[in-house]
Amino acid sequence: MTATHTRPTHSSRQAWATGLTVFAAVMLLLVGLLDILRGIMAIAEDDVFVTTPDYVFQFDLTSWGWIHLVLGVLAVIISAGLLKIATWARVSGVAIAALVILANFLSMPYYPLWSVVMITMSGFIIWALSVIKPGGNLYNLSGERSPD
């Protein structure tokens, strides 16, 4: 007696949602690591950054360093939650990416190129986390369609 086994298929929407979540998690991890490095540089060596006289949002570079360090650590923690498909991580991921955009915009005169790169990466994170439909297990490959 032979049994035929069929391989479960999953919808293309589910594949896109899974791919976007993993993309956002990896990008948020990279943003977090880069923000941690930027924070450490600002705390340890103020010579690395350009000084700008008469900047409206001017803080001590050590203050900016601590802000970026905390945002980076939070981003790394949230990226781990995104890989586990936690709803809190999706909401927090959008929020932390928005805060990273704001912090990098406000500290742009100190390190312009890095700020633009971080703003762009964070924009992609917000997009990837916003287009995914909420609910359901994105990694469910049982072949059963979840209600749309």
mmCIF file of all heavy atoms in Angstrom, residues 70-122:
data_model
loop_
_atom_site.group_PDB
_atom_site.id
_atom_site.type_symbol
_atom_site.label_atom_id
_atom_site.label_comp_id
_atom_site.label_asym_id
_atom_site.label_seq_id
_atom_site.Cartn_x
_atom_site.Cartn_y
_atom_site.Cartn_z
ATOM 1 N N VAL A 70 20.611 54.080 23.048
ATOM 2 C CA VAL A 70 19.355 53.527 23.572
ATOM 3 C C VAL A 70 18.436 53.108 22.423
ATOM 4 O O VAL A 70 17.854 52.006 22.457
ATOM 5 C CB VAL A 70 18.659 54.552 24.497
ATOM 6 C CG1 VAL A 70 17.240 54.134 24.815
ATOM 7 C CG2 VAL A 70 19.460 54.733 25.781
ATOM 8 N N LEU A 71 18.311 53.954 21.398
ATOM 9 C CA LEU A 71 17.481 53.587 20.245
ATOM 10 C C LEU A 71 18.012 52.324 19.557
ATOM 11 O O LEU A 71 17.239 51.467 19.125
ATOM 12 C CB LEU A 71 17.421 54.732 19.241
ATOM 13 C CG LEU A 71 16.570 55.942 19.631
ATOM 14 C CD1 LEU A 71 16.727 57.050 18.601
ATOM 15 C CD2 LEU A 71 15.116 55.557 19.793
ATOM 16 N N GLY A 72 19.334 52.192 19.468
ATOM 17 C CA GLY A 72 19.933 51.018 18.842
ATOM 18 C C GLY A 72 19.659 49.741 19.615
ATOM 19 O O GLY A 72 19.316 48.706 19.034
ATOM 20 N N VAL A 73 19.787 49.814 20.922
ATOM 21 C CA VAL A 73 19.526 48.626 21.754
ATOM 22 C C VAL A 73 18.059 48.225 21.640
ATOM 23 O O VAL A 73 17.732 47.032 21.494
ATOM 24 C CB VAL A 73 19.931 48.893 23.225
ATOM 25 C CG1 VAL A 73 19.413 47.811 24.146
ATOM 26 C CG2 VAL A 73 21.441 49.013 23.336
ATOM 27 N N LEU A 74 17.148 49.210 21.683
ATOM 28 C CA LEU A 74 15.721 48.904 21.537
ATOM 29 C C LEU A 74 15.424 48.301 20.164
ATOM 30 O O LEU A 74 14.637 47.359 20.053
ATOM 31 C CB LEU A 74 14.888 50.166 21.747
ATOM 32 C CG LEU A 74 14.802 50.682 23.175
ATOM 33 C CD1 LEU A 74 14.082 52.023 23.211
ATOM 34 C CD2 LEU A 74 14.120 49.674 24.077
ATOM 35 N N ALA A 75 16.062 48.805 19.128
ATOM 36 C CA ALA A 75 15.847 48.280 17.777
ATOM 37 C C ALA A 75 16.303 46.825 17.671
ATOM 38 O O ALA A 75 15.626 46.001 17.041
ATOM 39 C CB ALA A 75 16.572 49.143 16.752
ATOM 40 N N VAL A 76 17.419 46.490 18.278
ATOM 41 C CA VAL A 76 17.908 45.100 18.240
ATOM 42 C C VAL A 76 16.938 44.175 18.975
ATOM 43 O O VAL A 76 16.616 43.081 18.493
ATOM 44 C CB VAL A 76 19.335 45.012 18.837
ATOM 45 C CG1 VAL A 76 19.741 43.572 19.067
ATOM 46 C CG2 VAL A 76 20.333 45.707 17.925
ATOM 47 N N ILE A 77 16.432 44.601 20.127
ATOM 48 C CA ILE A 77 15.475 43.783 20.886
ATOM 49 C C ILE A 77 14.186 43.592 20.092
ATOM 50 O O ILE A 77 13.656 42.483 20.000
ATOM 51 C CB ILE A 77 15.189 44.431 22.256
ATOM 52 C CG1 ILE A 77 16.438 44.366 23.134
ATOM 53 C CG2 ILE A 77 14.010 43.767 22.947
ATOM 54 C CD1 ILE A 77 16.372 45.206 24.395
ATOM 55 N N ILE A 78 13.692 44.659 19.483
ATOM 56 C CA ILE A 78 12.450 44.576 18.713
ATOM 57 C C ILE A 78 12.632 43.706 17.473
ATOM 58 O O ILE A 78 11.721 42.968 17.085
ATOM 59 C CB ILE A 78 11.953 45.988 18.349
ATOM 60 C CG1 ILE A 78 11.498 46.702 19.631
ATOM 61 C CG2 ILE A 78 10.824 45.943 17.338
ATOM 62 C CD1 ILE A 78 11.232 48.177 19.461
ATOM 63 N N SER A 79 13.813 43.737 16.856
ATOM 64 C CA SER A 79 14.034 42.892 15.679
ATOM 65 C C SER A 79 13.955 41.415 16.037
ATOM 66 O O SER A 79 13.489 40.607 15.233
ATOM 67 C CB SER A 79 15.373 43.220 15.018
ATOM 68 O OG SER A 79 16.451 42.810 15.827
ATOM 69 N N ALA A 80 14.372 41.059 17.246
ATOM 70 C CA ALA A 80 14.231 39.665 17.686
ATOM 71 C C ALA A 80 12.754 39.300 17.819
ATOM 72 O O ALA A 80 12.342 38.188 17.460
ATOM 73 C CB ALA A 80 14.963 39.450 19.007
ATOM 74 N N GLY A 81 11.945 40.227 18.308
ATOM 75 C CA GLY A 81 10.508 39.991 18.404
ATOM 76 C C GLY A 81 9.851 39.867 17.039
ATOM 77 O O GLY A 81 8.896 39.112 16.862
ATOM 78 N N LEU A 82 10.364 40.611 16.063
ATOM 79 C CA LEU A 82 9.812 40.507 14.703
ATOM 80 C C LEU A 82 10.052 39.127 14.107
ATOM 81 O O LEU A 82 9.224 38.615 13.358
ATOM 82 C CB LEU A 82 10.422 41.569 13.796
ATOM 83 C CG LEU A 82 9.884 42.980 13.953
ATOM 84 C CD1 LEU A 82 10.717 43.953 13.138
ATOM 85 C CD2 LEU A 82 8.432 43.042 13.546
ATOM 86 N N LEU A 83 11.181 38.532 14.417
ATOM 87 C CA LEU A 83 11.454 37.189 13.896
ATOM 88 C C LEU A 83 10.543 36.147 14.525
ATOM 89 O O LEU A 83 10.357 35.065 13.974
ATOM 90 C CB LEU A 83 12.926 36.829 14.114
ATOM 91 C CG LEU A 83 13.907 37.610 13.231
ATOM 92 C CD1 LEU A 83 15.334 37.299 13.638
ATOM 93 C CD2 LEU A 83 13.679 37.308 11.762
ATOM 94 N N LYS A 84 9.954 36.469 15.676
ATOM 95 C CA LYS A 84 8.997 35.567 16.319
ATOM 96 C C LYS A 84 7.559 35.939 15.975
ATOM 97 O O LYS A 84 6.630 35.404 16.555
ATOM 98 C CB LYS A 84 9.190 35.597 17.831
ATOM 99 C CG LYS A 84 10.519 35.042 18.254
ATOM 100 C CD LYS A 84 10.639 35.050 19.761
ATOM 101 C CE LYS A 84 11.993 34.533 20.145
ATOM 102 N NZ LYS A 84 11.928 33.273 20.814
ATOM 103 N N ILE A 85 7.368 36.880 15.058
ATOM 104 C CA ILE A 85 6.068 37.333 14.581
ATOM 105 C C ILE A 85 5.186 37.818 15.733
ATOM 106 O O ILE A 85 4.022 37.465 15.846
ATOM 107 C CB ILE A 85 5.327 36.216 13.789
ATOM 108 C CG1 ILE A 85 6.225 35.558 12.782
ATOM 109 C CG2 ILE A 85 4.104 36.792 13.093
ATOM 110 C CD1 ILE A 85 6.727 36.472 11.696
ATOM 111 N N ALA A 86 5.738 38.600 16.601
ATOM 112 C CA ALA A 86 4.970 39.165 17.706
ATOM 113 C C ALA A 86 4.321 40.470 17.261
ATOM 114 O O ALA A 86 4.961 41.313 16.643
ATOM 115 C CB ALA A 86 5.888 39.412 18.902
ATOM 116 N N THR A 87 3.039 40.613 17.581
ATOM 117 C CA THR A 87 2.313 41.824 17.195
ATOM 118 C C THR A 87 2.918 43.049 17.862
ATOM 119 O O THR A 87 3.032 44.109 17.250
ATOM 120 C CB THR A 87 0.825 41.692 17.568
ATOM 121 O OG1 THR A 87 0.302 40.524 16.947
ATOM 122 C CG2 THR A 87 0.040 42.895 17.103
ATOM 123 N N TRP A 88 3.320 42.920 19.123
ATOM 124 C CA TRP A 88 3.928 44.055 19.819
ATOM 125 C C TRP A 88 5.187 44.511 19.099
ATOM 126 O O TRP A 88 5.504 45.703 19.084
ATOM 127 C CB TRP A 88 4.247 43.718 21.275
ATOM 128 C CG TRP A 88 5.306 42.654 21.449
ATOM 129 C CD1 TRP A 88 5.106 41.321 21.623
ATOM 130 C CD2 TRP A 88 6.726 42.843 21.427
ATOM 131 N NE1 TRP A 88 6.309 40.660 21.701
ATOM 132 C CE2 TRP A 88 7.319 41.577 21.596
ATOM 133 C CE3 TRP A 88 7.552 43.948 21.284
ATOM 134 C CZ2 TRP A 88 8.701 41.388 21.627
ATOM 135 C CZ3 TRP A 88 8.929 43.756 21.314
ATOM 136 C CH2 TRP A 88 9.488 42.486 21.485
ATOM 137 N N ALA A 89 5.889 43.572 18.479
ATOM 138 C CA ALA A 89 7.134 43.914 17.793
ATOM 139 C C ALA A 89 6.851 44.688 16.508
ATOM 140 O O ALA A 89 7.613 45.583 16.150
ATOM 141 C CB ALA A 89 7.936 42.652 17.490
ATOM 142 N N ARG A 90 5.757 44.353 15.813
ATOM 143 C CA ARG A 90 5.416 45.115 14.604
ATOM 144 C C ARG A 90 5.075 46.551 14.942
ATOM 145 O O ARG A 90 5.541 47.480 14.295
ATOM 146 C CB ARG A 90 4.242 44.446 13.879
ATOM 147 C CG ARG A 90 4.673 43.192 13.157
ATOM 148 C CD ARG A 90 3.601 42.616 12.279
ATOM 149 N NE ARG A 90 3.035 43.616 11.405
ATOM 150 C CZ ARG A 90 1.768 43.593 11.024
ATOM 151 N NH1 ARG A 90 0.964 42.643 11.454
ATOM 152 N NH2 ARG A 90 1.317 44.513 10.213
ATOM 153 N N VAL A 91 4.256 46.741 15.966
ATOM 154 C CA VAL A 91 3.883 48.093 16.377
ATOM 155 C C VAL A 91 5.105 48.842 16.895
ATOM 156 O O VAL A 91 5.365 49.995 16.518
ATOM 157 C CB VAL A 91 2.772 48.032 17.448
ATOM 158 C CG1 VAL A 91 2.480 49.404 18.017
ATOM 159 C CG2 VAL A 91 1.510 47.411 16.873
ATOM 160 N N SER A 92 5.884 48.181 17.731
ATOM 161 C CA SER A 92 7.092 48.800 18.274
ATOM 162 C C SER A 92 8.130 49.052 17.188
ATOM 163 O O SER A 92 8.880 50.028 17.262
ATOM 164 C CB SER A 92 7.706 47.907 19.359
ATOM 165 O OG SER A 92 6.790 47.703 20.396
ATOM 166 N N GLY A 93 8.179 48.184 16.192
ATOM 167 C CA GLY A 93 9.126 48.356 15.095
ATOM 168 C C GLY A 93 8.849 49.623 14.301
ATOM 169 O O GLY A 93 9.778 50.358 13.945
ATOM 170 N N VAL A 94 7.573 49.881 14.037
ATOM 171 C CA VAL A 94 7.214 51.114 13.336
ATOM 172 C C VAL A 94 7.559 52.322 14.203
ATOM 173 O O VAL A 94 8.123 53.309 13.732
ATOM 174 C CB VAL A 94 5.715 51.111 12.957
ATOM 175 C CG1 VAL A 94 5.275 52.474 12.448
ATOM 176 C CG2 VAL A 94 5.430 50.039 11.917
ATOM 177 N N ALA A 95 7.245 52.232 15.502
ATOM 178 C CA ALA A 95 7.513 53.353 16.412
ATOM 179 C C ALA A 95 9.013 53.627 16.548
ATOM 180 O O ALA A 95 9.451 54.783 16.481
ATOM 181 C CB ALA A 95 6.898 53.064 17.782
ATOM 182 N N ILE A 96 9.815 52.572 16.718
ATOM 183 C CA ILE A 96 11.254 52.785 16.903
ATOM 184 C C ILE A 96 11.887 53.270 15.601
ATOM 185 O O ILE A 96 12.804 54.104 15.630
ATOM 186 C CB ILE A 96 11.961 51.522 17.455
ATOM 187 C CG1 ILE A 96 13.313 51.872 18.076
ATOM 188 C CG2 ILE A 96 12.179 50.475 16.400
ATOM 189 C CD1 ILE A 96 13.226 52.561 19.374
ATOM 190 N N ALA A 97 11.411 52.782 14.460
ATOM 191 C CA ALA A 97 11.943 53.266 13.181
ATOM 192 C C ALA A 97 11.612 54.750 12.998
ATOM 193 O O ALA A 97 12.443 55.514 12.493
ATOM 194 C CB ALA A 97 11.386 52.440 12.025
ATOM 195 N N ALA A 98 10.424 55.168 13.413
ATOM 196 C CA ALA A 98 10.063 56.584 13.341
ATOM 197 C C ALA A 98 10.944 57.420 14.264
ATOM 198 O O ALA A 98 11.394 58.514 13.898
ATOM 199 C CB ALA A 98 8.594 56.770 13.693
ATOM 200 N N LEU A 99 11.233 56.900 15.453
ATOM 201 C CA LEU A 99 12.120 57.624 16.377
ATOM 202 C C LEU A 99 13.549 57.696 15.837
ATOM 203 O O LEU A 99 14.237 58.701 16.017
ATOM 204 C CB LEU A 99 12.106 56.967 17.753
ATOM 205 C CG LEU A 99 10.825 57.164 18.565
ATOM 206 C CD1 LEU A 99 10.868 56.329 19.840
ATOM 207 C CD2 LEU A 99 10.615 58.639 18.879
ATOM 208 N N VAL A 100 13.993 56.633 15.178
ATOM 209 C CA VAL A 100 15.327 56.637 14.573
ATOM 210 C C VAL A 100 15.384 57.682 13.455
ATOM 211 O O VAL A 100 16.381 58.404 13.324
ATOM 212 C CB VAL A 100 15.701 55.222 14.051
ATOM 213 C CG1 VAL A 100 16.913 55.264 13.144
ATOM 214 C CG2 VAL A 100 15.948 54.284 15.220
ATOM 215 N N ILE A 101 14.314 57.780 12.664
ATOM 216 C CA ILE A 101 14.267 58.810 11.624
ATOM 217 C C ILE A 101 14.356 60.195 12.249
ATOM 218 O O ILE A 101 15.130 61.049 11.806
ATOM 219 C CB ILE A 101 12.980 58.682 10.769
ATOM 220 C CG1 ILE A 101 13.072 57.470 9.852
ATOM 221 C CG2 ILE A 101 12.736 59.950 9.953
ATOM 222 C CD1 ILE A 101 11.798 57.169 9.092
ATOM 223 N N LEU A 102 13.583 60.426 13.287
ATOM 224 C CA LEU A 102 13.586 61.731 13.957
ATOM 225 C C LEU A 102 14.953 62.048 14.554
ATOM 226 O O LEU A 102 15.483 63.147 14.356
ATOM 227 C CB LEU A 102 12.512 61.751 15.047
ATOM 228 C CG LEU A 102 12.332 63.051 15.793
ATOM 229 C CD1 LEU A 102 11.879 64.145 14.841
ATOM 230 C CD2 LEU A 102 11.337 62.876 16.919
ATOM 231 N N ALA A 103 15.550 61.093 15.255
ATOM 232 C CA ALA A 103 16.860 61.324 15.868
ATOM 233 C C ALA A 103 17.937 61.574 14.821
ATOM 234 O O ALA A 103 18.800 62.436 15.010
ATOM 235 C CB ALA A 103 17.252 60.128 16.742
ATOM 236 N N ASN A 104 17.878 60.848 13.718
ATOM 237 C CA ASN A 104 18.884 61.051 12.671
ATOM 238 C C ASN A 104 18.670 62.350 11.914
ATOM 239 O O ASN A 104 19.625 62.974 11.470
ATOM 240 C CB ASN A 104 18.906 59.863 11.711
ATOM 241 C CG ASN A 104 19.691 58.712 12.286
ATOM 242 O OD1 ASN A 104 20.905 58.744 12.304
ATOM 243 N ND2 ASN A 104 18.990 57.712 12.795
ATOM 244 N N PHE A 105 17.415 62.765 11.769
ATOM 245 C CA PHE A 105 17.165 64.049 11.140
ATOM 246 C C PHE A 105 17.703 65.186 12.014
ATOM 247 O O PHE A 105 18.345 66.116 11.523
ATOM 248 C CB PHE A 105 15.669 64.242 10.889
ATOM 249 C CG PHE A 105 15.339 65.589 10.328
ATOM 250 C CD1 PHE A 105 15.603 65.886 8.998
ATOM 251 C CD2 PHE A 105 14.786 66.577 11.129
ATOM 252 C CE1 PHE A 105 15.312 67.131 8.479
ATOM 253 C CE2 PHE A 105 14.492 67.825 10.619
ATOM 254 C CZ PHE A 105 14.755 68.107 9.293
ATOM 255 N N LEU A 106 17.452 65.089 13.316
ATOM 256 C CA LEU A 106 17.892 66.149 14.216
ATOM 257 C C LEU A 106 19.407 66.175 14.401
ATOM 258 O O LEU A 106 19.974 67.216 14.703
ATOM 259 C CB LEU A 106 17.194 66.011 15.573
ATOM 260 C CG LEU A 106 15.687 66.249 15.556
ATOM 261 C CD1 LEU A 106 15.092 65.993 16.928
ATOM 262 C CD2 LEU A 106 15.364 67.648 15.072
ATOM 263 N N SER A 107 20.061 65.039 14.231
ATOM 264 C CA SER A 107 21.518 65.012 14.378
ATOM 265 C C SER A 107 22.233 64.975 13.030
ATOM 266 O O SER A 107 23.422 64.667 12.960
ATOM 267 C CB SER A 107 21.938 63.813 15.231
ATOM 268 O OG SER A 107 21.631 62.604 14.587
ATOM 269 N N MET A 108 21.525 65.308 11.961
ATOM 270 C CA MET A 108 22.090 65.256 10.612
ATOM 271 C C MET A 108 23.346 66.124 10.431
ATOM 272 O O MET A 108 24.281 65.698 9.757
ATOM 273 C CB MET A 108 21.044 65.626 9.565
ATOM 274 C CG MET A 108 21.497 65.312 8.153
ATOM 275 S SD MET A 108 20.232 65.620 6.931
ATOM 276 C CE MET A 108 19.056 64.333 7.274
ATOM 277 N N PRO A 109 23.436 67.324 11.008
ATOM 278 C CA PRO A 109 24.643 68.133 10.789
ATOM 279 C C PRO A 109 25.920 67.503 11.353
ATOM 280 O O PRO A 109 27.008 67.838 10.913
ATOM 281 C CB PRO A 109 24.344 69.442 11.514
ATOM 282 C CG PRO A 109 22.873 69.514 11.563
ATOM 283 C CD PRO A 109 22.403 68.104 11.685
ATOM 284 N N TYR A 110 25.789 66.570 12.303
ATOM 285 C CA TYR A 110 26.969 65.964 12.914
ATOM 286 C C TYR A 110 27.575 64.862 12.057
ATOM 287 O O TYR A 110 28.771 64.622 12.099
ATOM 288 C CB TYR A 110 26.637 65.415 14.303
ATOM 289 C CG TYR A 110 26.179 66.487 15.249
ATOM 290 C CD1 TYR A 110 24.860 66.572 15.652
ATOM 291 C CD2 TYR A 110 27.074 67.438 15.722
ATOM 292 C CE1 TYR A 110 24.439 67.570 16.514
ATOM 293 C CE2 TYR A 110 26.657 68.436 16.583
ATOM 294 C CZ TYR A 110 25.344 68.495 16.976
ATOM 295 O OH TYR A 110 24.934 69.486 17.812
ATOM 296 N N TYR A 111 26.720 64.135 11.322
ATOM 297 C CA TYR A 111 27.190 63.039 10.478
ATOM 298 C C TYR A 111 26.178 62.858 9.336
ATOM 299 O O TYR A 111 25.342 61.961 9.369
ATOM 300 C CB TYR A 111 27.303 61.754 11.293
ATOM 301 C CG TYR A 111 28.442 60.850 10.925
ATOM 302 C CD1 TYR A 111 29.034 60.035 11.867
ATOM 303 C CD2 TYR A 111 28.930 60.787 9.626
ATOM 304 C CE1 TYR A 111 30.077 59.195 11.535
ATOM 305 C CE2 TYR A 111 29.964 59.947 9.284
ATOM 306 C CZ TYR A 111 30.535 59.158 10.246
ATOM 307 O OH TYR A 111 31.559 58.320 9.913
ATOM 308 N N PRO A 112 26.230 63.724 8.317
ATOM 309 C CA PRO A 112 25.161 63.799 7.308
ATOM 310 C C PRO A 112 24.934 62.516 6.506
ATOM 311 O O PRO A 112 23.791 62.088 6.353
ATOM 312 C CB PRO A 112 25.598 64.934 6.392
ATOM 313 C CG PRO A 112 26.741 65.596 7.039
ATOM 314 C CD PRO A 112 27.261 64.715 8.105
ATOM 315 N N LEU A 113 25.986 61.913 5.983
ATOM 316 C CA LEU A 113 25.800 60.740 5.134
ATOM 317 C C LEU A 113 25.195 59.575 5.922
ATOM 318 O O LEU A 113 24.265 58.909 5.457
ATOM 319 C CB LEU A 113 27.138 60.320 4.505
ATOM 320 C CG LEU A 113 27.059 59.134 3.545
ATOM 321 C CD1 LEU A 113 26.149 59.471 2.371
ATOM 322 C CD2 LEU A 113 28.439 58.757 3.055
ATOM 323 N N TRP A 114 25.707 59.327 7.104
ATOM 324 C CA TRP A 114 25.190 58.241 7.934
ATOM 325 C C TRP A 114 23.726 58.503 8.276
ATOM 326 O O TRP A 114 22.901 57.591 8.258
ATOM 327 C CB TRP A 114 26.019 58.126 9.209
ATOM 328 C CG TRP A 114 25.811 56.880 9.989
ATOM 329 C CD1 TRP A 114 24.639 56.203 10.175
ATOM 330 C CD2 TRP A 114 26.791 56.153 10.708
ATOM 331 N NE1 TRP A 114 24.823 55.116 10.969
ATOM 332 C CE2 TRP A 114 26.151 55.059 11.314
ATOM 333 C CE3 TRP A 114 28.134 56.331 10.921
ATOM 334 C CZ2 TRP A 114 26.814 54.153 12.118
ATOM 335 C CZ3 TRP A 114 28.790 55.411 11.724
ATOM 336 C CH2 TRP A 114 28.148 54.338 12.301
ATOM 337 N N SER A 115 23.382 59.747 8.558
ATOM 338 C CA SER A 115 21.999 60.088 8.892
ATOM 339 C C SER A 115 21.062 59.798 7.725
ATOM 340 O O SER A 115 19.979 59.241 7.914
ATOM 341 C CB SER A 115 21.894 61.560 9.285
ATOM 342 O OG SER A 115 22.572 61.792 10.492
ATOM 343 N N VAL A 116 21.471 60.140 6.519
ATOM 344 C CA VAL A 116 20.633 59.890 5.343
ATOM 345 C C VAL A 116 20.451 58.394 5.123
ATOM 346 O O VAL A 116 19.346 57.923 4.824
ATOM 347 C CB VAL A 116 21.235 60.577 4.094
ATOM 348 C CG1 VAL A 116 20.526 60.136 2.826
ATOM 349 C CG2 VAL A 116 21.168 62.084 4.240
ATOM 350 N N VAL A 117 21.503 57.622 5.289
ATOM 351 C CA VAL A 117 21.410 56.165 5.142
ATOM 352 C C VAL A 117 20.456 55.588 6.178
ATOM 353 O O VAL A 117 19.594 54.752 5.857
ATOM 354 C CB VAL A 117 22.816 55.515 5.245
ATOM 355 C CG1 VAL A 117 22.717 54.011 5.378
ATOM 356 C CG2 VAL A 117 23.661 55.889 4.040
ATOM 357 N N MET A 118 20.569 56.028 7.412
ATOM 358 C CA MET A 118 19.712 55.511 8.487
ATOM 359 C C MET A 118 18.249 55.914 8.270
ATOM 360 O O MET A 118 17.339 55.124 8.546
ATOM 361 C CB MET A 118 20.207 56.019 9.842
ATOM 362 C CG MET A 118 21.585 55.498 10.206
ATOM 363 S SD MET A 118 21.603 53.746 10.513
ATOM 364 C CE MET A 118 21.000 53.763 12.179
ATOM 365 N N ILE A 119 18.016 57.129 7.798
ATOM 366 C CA ILE A 119 16.652 57.568 7.515
ATOM 367 C C ILE A 119 16.041 56.713 6.406
ATOM 368 O O ILE A 119 14.884 56.280 6.497
ATOM 369 C CB ILE A 119 16.634 59.070 7.157
ATOM 370 C CG1 ILE A 119 16.920 59.912 8.405
ATOM 371 C CG2 ILE A 119 15.313 59.469 6.521
ATOM 372 C CD1 ILE A 119 17.171 61.378 8.137
ATOM 373 N N THR A 120 16.815 56.424 5.367
ATOM 374 C CA THR A 120 16.335 55.599 4.265
ATOM 375 C C THR A 120 16.027 54.173 4.731
ATOM 376 O O THR A 120 14.965 53.622 4.410
ATOM 377 C CB THR A 120 17.380 55.565 3.130
ATOM 378 O OG1 THR A 120 17.672 56.908 2.742
ATOM 379 C CG2 THR A 120 16.883 54.771 1.942
ATOM 380 N N MET A 121 16.924 53.584 5.490
ATOM 381 C CA MET A 121 16.707 52.223 5.994
ATOM 382 C C MET A 121 15.470 52.167 6.886
ATOM 383 O O MET A 121 14.662 51.243 6.795
ATOM 384 C CB MET A 121 17.946 51.727 6.748
ATOM 385 C CG MET A 121 19.118 51.418 5.847
ATOM 386 S SD MET A 121 20.634 51.016 6.746
ATOM 387 C CE MET A 121 20.217 49.459 7.481
ATOM 388 N N SER A 122 15.312 53.160 7.730
ATOM 389 C CA SER A 122 14.157 53.186 8.629
ATOM 390 C C SER A 122 12.856 53.379 7.854
ATOM 391 O O SER A 122 11.816 52.838 8.237
ATOM 392 C CB SER A 122 14.323 54.298 9.661
ATOM 393 O OG SER A 122 15.455 54.039 10.461
#
